[in-house]
Structure formats: structure tokens, C-alpha cells
Amino acid sequence: MQTEKNLNPQSGYPFLAIIITIAISIFFLFANGNAGFAELLIVLLIFLGKGLLVISPNSATILLLFGAYEASIKKSGLFWVNPFYKRMTLSLRARNFQSEKAKVNDKMGNPIMISVILVWKVSDTFKACFEVDNYAHFLEIQTDSAVRKLAAIFPYDHFEDEQASITLSTDFDEINRTLEKEITERLVIAGIEVVEARISHLAYAPEIAHSMLKRQQASAVVAARNKIVEGAVGMVESALNLLSTKGIIDLDEDKKAAMVSNLMVVLCGDRDTQPVLNTGTLNQ
């Protein structure tokens, strides 16, 4: 596969001085009536003038000679090259690409909405111009394909796949590295360097977003209840041990069961308890 060839061109300033000198000479020749020689100098002036080439910073010029690739110039400044070269200009500046929000399926088959931001630039001018038809459009298609593949590899979160070590919604650094590697491999053929690739939007698709939110809320409630019950059991155990150790009251098993029941209701209930005064004895 052919790759980029860099050319170190001649400085254009000496040729610019020659062109200016010829232009002045032509003026004086016409003024003195020597039109024949002046016309010859005009041909030479046009020939030399066509060889001048101005390249801006972070730009490149590709040189073709009768359809054949000759070289690329990535230096900026004023140069002089073969006037018969056909020239193509490419920008080497870093560019942003933000994909549209796409509906894809994650590893578990759940529909999700995802989009990415890509920072890229042309690194190989030959591949960008001649290995693909339109490198900017090629980048968009391959980025979309890489995003769909990424979503199919990982689950959205741990709710669907508790054994997953990496998920789309939690392991951003690892996901972005995987995405960048996948896109880089796809864009090598187009001579494009991926500077950065990251997910910019990630959410469940609208048709399941509400159900997934309810599921997450239910899981959070269950986790909170488990923590409350665990703490309440410890508090009840501590209370019974303290009453027994200090000899404050002697409780049989039935009274202990009733006390445990009452304490658990108080500690685990989601509403404020209402006190009840016992005007009789403890046995009533």
C-alpha cells in the first residue's frame, strides 16, 4: 500500500525576486518598443509564476504530475515547485465530530440512546485523498459502526448483568479507551488520527426509560430497607443485652418476643410511631 511522501521544496523568495525583475524588464521593453522580446519574457514570467506555492500553517499540499502522486508538502511558507504539478490542498488542523443520537441495543438487548464526540485530524495525506472516496464521510460512517459495536459488547449497567466487570454507564474511562481504539483501527485506511473519542450522551431509549427508572428506584428502596433492618436487629440485640446485664427487668421469652416485635416496628417503620400508655401492669 502506498503511503505519504514528504517533499522539501525550494524557497519561493528567490523566484519571486526573479519574477519581479522580469516584470520590470517587460515594462521597459514595451516602453522602448521591443515587443518581441517582451512577449518571450511574458511566457517565462507565466511559467515561473505558476510554480509559486503558498502554504498556510497546519495545511498540506499534494502534488500530482499527470495523474501520478509525487509528494506532499506539510511545511508552511512560500515555495516554488514544478509548474506542471497539479495541486490539492488539505487541512491538518484538529476537528470535532459529534455523532447524532443513535438508538442501539446493549449487550442485554435493551434499547439505548448514545452519541459520541470525536476529535480527529488528517495524518497521512495520500491515504486521505486516494484510499477512500470522501474521508470526512468515511469517518462518520465508521464512527457510527464502532459505536454500535461498542454498545453490543457491554451492558448498560449492573442491573441486567450483575457479573459484568465493565458497563457503559459506570466505567467511562475504560469505555472511552475501547471506543477510541475501535475507531482508530477503522480509520487507519483513511490516514486519520484519532486524538480523542468519548461518549457524550448515554440514556435508555424513551420507551423503556420510565420502567428502568422504577426498577432502579425499587432496587434502591430494597437496599435501604436491608440496611435499616440490619441496623434495627443490632439495636434490639444491644437493648436486650443491656437490660439483662444491668438487671433492670427480667423478661421471659414471650415478653422478649413482644419487645422485639415492638422495637422492630418502631425502628423499621417508615412513619412516626404513636406512643401508647399502659395504665395497667406489664402482664396486661
Side-chain angles (χ1 to χ4, degrees):
M1 180 183 294
Q2 188 173 356
T3 56
E4 177 184 88
K5 294 186 293 184
N6 289 317
L7 176 67
N8 189 17
Q10 302 179 64
S11 174
Y13 292 102
F15 290 90
L16 180 61
I18 294 173
I19 290 172
I20 293 174
T21 302
I22 292 175
I24 295 173
S25 299
I26 292 173
F27 175 77
F28 282 107
L29 287 173
F30 274 115
N32 296 326
N34 195 350
F37 188 61
E39 291 175 353
L40 292 176
L41 289 181
I42 290 175
V43 174
L44 178 61
L45 179 68
I46 294 174
F47 179 80
L48 293 176
K50 288 192 65 177
L52 289 177
L53 175 63
V54 178
I55 302 179
S56 303
N58 282 325
S59 297
T61 297
I62 298 173
L63 304 177
L64 303 176
L65 183 60
F66 305 118
Y69 172 72
E70 291 297 315
S72 299
I73 304 175
K74 291 185 174 181
K75 297 173 62 177
S76 60
L78 177 64
F79 307 103
W80 191 87
V81 296
N82 188 336
F84 293 106
Y85 281 149
K86 179 183 177 181
R87 307 164 192 181
M88 299 174 61
T89 301
L90 281 181
S91 173
L92 302 180
R93 299 177 179 89
R95 309 183 216 180
N96 284 323
F97 167 69
Q98 183 169 9
S99 66
E100 298 291 335
K101 294 178 183 178
K103 182 187 291 187
V104 298
N105 292 330
D106 70 355
K107 180 181 178 181
M108 309 308 296
N110 296 316
I112 61 176
M113 302 298 294
I114 186 171
S115 66
V116 300
I117 291 179
L118 190 66
V119 182
W120 63 279
K121 61 182 179 180
V122 174
S123 60
D124 190 309
T125 56
F126 175 83
K127 291 181 179 180
C129 283
F130 304 114
E131 290 294 342
V132 295
D133 185 47
N134 184 321
Y135 63 88
H137 183 64
F138 182 83
L139 177 141
E140 295 177 10
I141 298 299
Q142 293 302 318
T143 299
D144 181 74
S145 177
V147 169
R148 294 179 183 277
K149 180 179 178 181
L150 179 78
I153 295 175
F154 301 104
Y156 182 89
D157 52 31
H158 291 287
F159 288 104
E160 290 290 338
D161 188 356
E162 296 181 355
Q163 305 301 320
S165 58
I166 301 175
T167 66
L168 296 172
S169 61
T170 57
D171 302 279
F172 295 110
D173 292 338
E174 183 63 31
I175 292 297
N176 290 335
R177 280 194 295 268
T178 304
L179 175 64
E180 184 175 326
K181 179 181 178 182
E182 180 67 26
I183 296 177
T184 298
E185 292 175 353
R186 293 170 179 265
L187 298 182
V188 168
I189 188 176
I192 294 175
E193 175 188 351
V194 177
V195 179
E196 182 185 10
R198 65 183 183 274
I199 294 177
S200 60
H201 176 82
L202 180 66
Y204 281 114
E207 59 267 26
I208 68 167
H210 183 66
S211 298
M212 292 301 180
L213 178 60
K214 291 178 65 177
R215 184 191 64 176
Q216 292 174 358
Q217 291 173 339
S219 298
V221 170
V222 171
R225 287 293 182 185
N226 286 335
K227 195 67 177 178
I228 291 173
V229 171
E230 181 181 347
V233 170
M235 294 174 66
V236 170
E237 182 182 8
S238 177
L240 291 176
N241 290 336
L242 192 60
L243 289 172
S244 176
T245 301
K246 293 193 174 184
I248 297 175
I249 188 172
D250 187 17
L251 299 175
D252 57 23
E253 295 302 320
D254 291 337
K255 293 178 181 178
K256 285 183 179 180
M259 182 177 179
V260 169
S261 176
N262 292 335
L263 286 175
M264 291 297 292
V265 170
V266 171
L267 295 173
C268 297
D270 56 357
R271 297 181 181 178
D272 294 336
T273 56
Q274 299 295 327
V276 177
L277 296 178
N278 187 355
T279 58
T281 65
L282 290 177
N283 295 325
Q284 292 179 341

